[in-house]
């Protein structure tokens, strides 16, 4: 059944009203102090350098404050694309093991089921068994949804069936911020009114879940934003903040961010800037400069809006007396995207001015456009490549960790290497939970991730290697060495000496390259990679 919902049901005003009527005594709203609340916030298609605390000109004061009062991990990795990262984050497994080695398309192959495998458990399932209240707001994208009038559905892999007590968001990926397909509350599809804007709705829904959470239980909250994934949909007042900012072009933005990243300690002083993508023109030669600047201004506005909403979530945690004992994680699901989208009649809806074209300024609900290579190259400063690639530009993400009660080293940068598979293990460690060997009569694949908690106090993290594969793009990192390739070849890089992956050392160190390739092949075999 489909229900109609106005965006006012997910406004800050509702959250404040609920606050006053339901809980008038903040001091009484204290969960089990031995178990911290855990909030995981995931951005979508955001580049490595897109936050203020990572060197950007984009206004992200709330995330910058979390970084200033917490930790920034600058060698943290995702799984290069929406579905792989989400499945790994939720389960602590490599995405093939979780059933999502390819995409959300049904298959009989174990590593490519197109939905979460019954041989995996989610963070929500594990923490709910430990007494947590579990809630999610935002993009799910680990279950089939084909955008048809009668979409292919797999109800068993929906959020409420995989451990969440509350859910507001979309089953599918991105596509329309003003009227998203597959929007749900609980297990029911809902519709929106003309004032709806998805980024605000996700944040306000998350804040409402905080207000509604049982006072006697610790909280696990997963906030999965669509921003800043295409299409370039942003509110006029947010776009206006960046009017003129990007008139200088992508070359200048890359150089300015690169210098700023060195200044604040994200990059070593001798770290070079990767060459501009050879498929991107120098800004001085680029046509349609006003339109190009508007594309990036709209993208920046999407991140700005997300940060505003994170501020609302922080306010809700403080209002409920939960903030000091809440561990907040923030990261992105992959690097910035160089994809170019087109069309007026699309699977995401009908857009009267659809298409990435210079005669239409993006942002409004009748547009359907993306940012393209030049700006994605700037977002991923200082690295090469983009979403879907295993070079650092595709898989590197900042990770911010904030926990007033548990982290005393404020504003520190951590160099320990971590991966999205580690979020599950860290949550289990923090909650004092146990990863099961069996769940709902199904044998559970052993946990791949490790807890990040020792690194909070700057202790080392020990593991042999990290691995990647998606649609033929492959990589392995072991220590400072990284082997990257596709089905045809491998390239070897020393990331300590060459973080931008500019010098292939496979011919100079053939034995190392061969050994790491063999490690990758053994991992692929045991991890259901085909």
């Amino acid at each position: 059944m489909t229900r109609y919902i106005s965006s006012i049901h997910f406004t800050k005003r509702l959250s404040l009203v609920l606050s006053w009527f339901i809980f008038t005594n903040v001091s009484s709203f204290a969960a089990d102090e031995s178990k911290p609340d855990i909030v995981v916030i995931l951005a979508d298609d955001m580049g490595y350098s897109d936050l203020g605390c990572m060197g950007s000109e984009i206004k992200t004061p709330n995330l910058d404050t979390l970084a200033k009062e917490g930790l920034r991990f600058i060698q943290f990795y995702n799984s290069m694309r929406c579905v792989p990262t989400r499945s790994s984050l939720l389960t602590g497994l490599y995405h093939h093991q979780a059933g999502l080695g390819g995409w959300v398309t049904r298959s009989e192959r174990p590593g490519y089921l197109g939905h979460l495998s019954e041989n995996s458990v989610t963070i929500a399932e594990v923490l709910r068994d430990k007494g947590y209240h579990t809630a999610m707001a935002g993009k799910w994208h680990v279950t089939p949804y084909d955008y048809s009038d009668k979409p292919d559905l797999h109800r068993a892999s929906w959020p409420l069936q995989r451990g969440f007590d509350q859910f507001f968001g979309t089953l599918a990926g991105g596509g329309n911020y003003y009227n998203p397909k597959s929007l749900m509350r609980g297990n029911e599809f809902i519709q929106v009114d003309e004032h709806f804007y998805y980024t605000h709705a996700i944040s306000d829904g998350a804040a409402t879940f905080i207000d509604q959470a049982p006072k006697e239980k610790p909280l696990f909250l997963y906030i999965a934003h669509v921003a800043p994934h295409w299409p370039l949909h942003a509110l006029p007042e947010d776009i206006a903040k960046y009017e003129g900012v990007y008139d200088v072009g992508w070359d200048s933005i890359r150089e300015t961010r690169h210098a700023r990243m060195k200044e604040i300690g994200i990059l070593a002083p001798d770290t070079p800037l990767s060459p501009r993508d050879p498929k991107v023109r120098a800004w001085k030669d680029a046509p349609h400069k006003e339109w190009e600047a508007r594309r990036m201004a709209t993208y920046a506005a999407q991140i700005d809006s997300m940060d505003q909403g994170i501020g609302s979530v922080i306010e809700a945690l403080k209002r409920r007396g939960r903030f000091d004992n809440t561990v907040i994680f923030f990261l992105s699901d992959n690097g910035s995207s160089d994809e170019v989208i087109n069309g007026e009649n699309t699977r995401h809806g009908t857009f009267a001015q659809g298409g990435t074209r210079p005669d239409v300024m993006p942002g409004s609900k009748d547009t359907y456009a993306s940012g393209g290579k030049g700006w994605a190259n700037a977002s991923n400063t200082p690295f090469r490549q983009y979403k879907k690639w295993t070079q650092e530009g595709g898989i590197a993400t900042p990770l911010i960790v904030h926990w007033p009660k548990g982290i005393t080293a404020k504003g520190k940068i951590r160099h320990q290497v971590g991966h999205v598979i580690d979020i599950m293990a860290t949550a289990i460690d923090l909650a004092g939970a146990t990863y099961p060997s069996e769940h709902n009569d199904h044998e559970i694949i052993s946990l791949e991730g490790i807890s990040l908690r020792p690194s909070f106090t700057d202790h080392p993290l020990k593991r042999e290697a990290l691995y990647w594969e998606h649609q033929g793009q492959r990589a392995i990192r072991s220590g400072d060495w990284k082997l990257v390739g596709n089905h045809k070849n491998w390239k070897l890089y020393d990331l300590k000496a060459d973080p931008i992956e500019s010098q292939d050392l496979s011919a100079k160190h053939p034995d190392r390259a061969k050994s790491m390739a063999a490690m990758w092949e053994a991992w692929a075999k045991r991890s259901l990679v085909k």
Side-chain angles (χ1 to χ4, degrees), residues 315-427:
E315 289 173 6
L317 290 167
K318 289 180 177 179
R319 189 166 59 243
R320 294 294 156 223
R322 291 184 177 269
F323 183 72
D324 287 346
N325 198 28
T326 294
V327 188
I328 299 175
F329 299 90
F330 175 88
L331 67 159
S332 180
D333 67 345
N334 44 251
S336 189
S337 170
D338 66 335
E339 297 161 309
V340 175
I341 60 171
N342 284 295
E344 295 180 355
N345 297 308
T346 77
R347 63 178 181 166
H348 300 124
T350 299
F351 305 91
Q353 299 191 84
T356 304
R357 59 194 219 211
D359 61 320
V360 175
M361 293 295 181
S364 63
K365 62 178 63 178
D366 61 348
T367 64
Y368 184 76
S370 58
K373 279 190 189 298
W375 293 118
N377 198 191
S379 288
N380 294 333
T381 299
F383 302 127
R384 299 170 51 236
Q385 298 295 11
Y386 315 94
K387 169 185 178 179
K388 300 182 185 177
W389 295 80
T390 49
Q391 282 81 7
E392 297 290 283
I395 61 176
T397 175
L399 173 72
I400 297 172
V401 183
H402 181 274
W403 183 18
K405 188 175 180 179
I407 294 175
T408 57
K410 310 297 185 185
K412 297 296 185 181
I413 290 174
R414 291 288 183 255
H415 296 269
Q416 289 87 338
V417 177
H419 190 282
V420 67
I421 57 174
D422 299 332
I423 300 296
M424 162 74 97
T426 309

Side-chain angles (χ1 to χ4, degrees), residues 183-214:
L183 186 67
M184 307 183 77
R185 182 193 289 166
N187 278 332
E188 295 185 350
F189 291 102
I190 56 179
Q191 296 177 349
V192 304
D193 73 1
E194 61 181 2
H195 303 294
F196 184 90
Y197 184 65
Y198 195 22
T199 303
H200 286 181
I202 290 171
S203 299
D204 296 335
T208 299
F209 289 154
I210 293 168
D211 285 331
Q212 294 174 338

Side-chain angles (χ1 to χ4, degrees), residues 84-99:
T85 291
R86 281 164 172 74
S87 54
S88 288
L89 185 155
L90 284 164
T91 65
L93 305 175
Y94 288 105
H95 55 104
H96 306 81
Q97 297 168 313

Side-chain angles (χ1 to χ4, degrees), residues 25-268:
N25 186 351
V26 172
S27 64
S28 69
F29 193 76
D32 181 352
E33 286 294 321
S34 65
K35 300 175 185 176
D37 295 334
I38 300 171
V39 177
V40 177
I41 307 173
L42 186 67
D44 197 339
D45 287 13
M46 188 194 79
Y48 185 76
S49 68
D50 275 335
L51 301 179
C53 61
M54 294 296 291
S56 177
E57 70 292 332
I58 300 173
K59 297 177 175 64
T60 55
N62 293 297
L63 285 166
D64 295 349
T65 298
L66 292 180
K68 183 179 179 180
E69 297 175 353
L71 302 172
R72 276 169 293 173
F73 288 76
I74 60 172
Q75 294 195 82
F76 201 80
Y77 290 107
N78 49 48
S79 296
M80 86 179 95
R81 204 174 177 197
C82 306
V83 172
T85 291
R86 281 164 172 74
S87 54
S88 288
L89 185 155
L90 284 164
T91 65
L93 305 175
Y94 288 105
H95 55 104
H96 306 81
Q97 297 168 313
L100 288 151
W103 205 238
V104 283
T105 304
R106 287 182 187 256
S107 167
E108 296 300 318
R109 293 185 295 167
Y112 301 82
L113 300 172
H115 58 78
L116 287 176
S117 168
E118 292 176 329
N119 299 113
S120 68
V121 286
T122 68
I123 300 177
E125 287 171 321
V126 175
L127 296 193
R128 187 163 70 175
D129 287 347
K130 190 62 177 177
Y132 275 70
H133 179 75
T134 58
M136 180 193 169
K139 172 177 169 178
W140 183 237
H141 212 196
V142 288
T143 190
Y145 188 88
D146 60 11
Y147 294 93
S148 66
D149 292 336
K150 295 182 179 179
D152 179 30
L153 300 174
H154 185 263
R155 192 182 181 95
S157 55
W158 291 4
L160 296 194
Q161 283 67 41
R162 293 309 307 252
F164 287 94
D165 298 311
Q166 294 176 289
F167 172 62
F168 166 73
T170 45
L171 292 182
N176 191 338
Y177 285 69
Y178 300 103
N179 188 13
K181 300 280 188 179
S182 75
L183 186 67
M184 307 183 77
R185 182 193 289 166
N187 278 332
E188 295 185 350
F189 291 102
I190 56 179
Q191 296 177 349
V192 304
D193 73 1
E194 61 181 2
H195 303 294
F196 184 90
Y197 184 65
Y198 195 22
T199 303
H200 286 181
I202 290 171
S203 299
D204 296 335
T208 299
F209 289 154
I210 293 168
D211 285 331
Q212 294 174 338
K215 64 180 182 180
E216 70 279 4
K217 289 188 174 185
L219 172 67
F220 171 66
L221 176 61
Y222 174 37
I223 306 171
H225 277 283
V226 173
H229 192 291
W230 52 258
L232 294 170
H233 281 169
L235 301 179
E237 59 268 29
D238 292 329
I239 298 173
K241 298 178 186 179
Y242 298 94
E243 184 176 351
V245 172
Y246 297 104
D247 292 353
V248 296
W250 42 65
D251 292 328
S252 177
I253 292 297
R254 290 185 78 225
E255 292 165 2
T256 301
R257 288 190 182 189
H258 181 238
R260 176 64 176 154
M261 294 171 87
K262 291 181 177 181
E263 179 184 330
I264 62 177
I266 302 300
L267 300 178

Side-chain angles (χ1 to χ4, degrees), residues 273-284:
L273 177 62
S274 63
R276 182 196 318 113
D277 189 311
K279 296 180 180 179
V280 175
R281 295 185 185 187
W283 179 255
K284 65 182 179 61

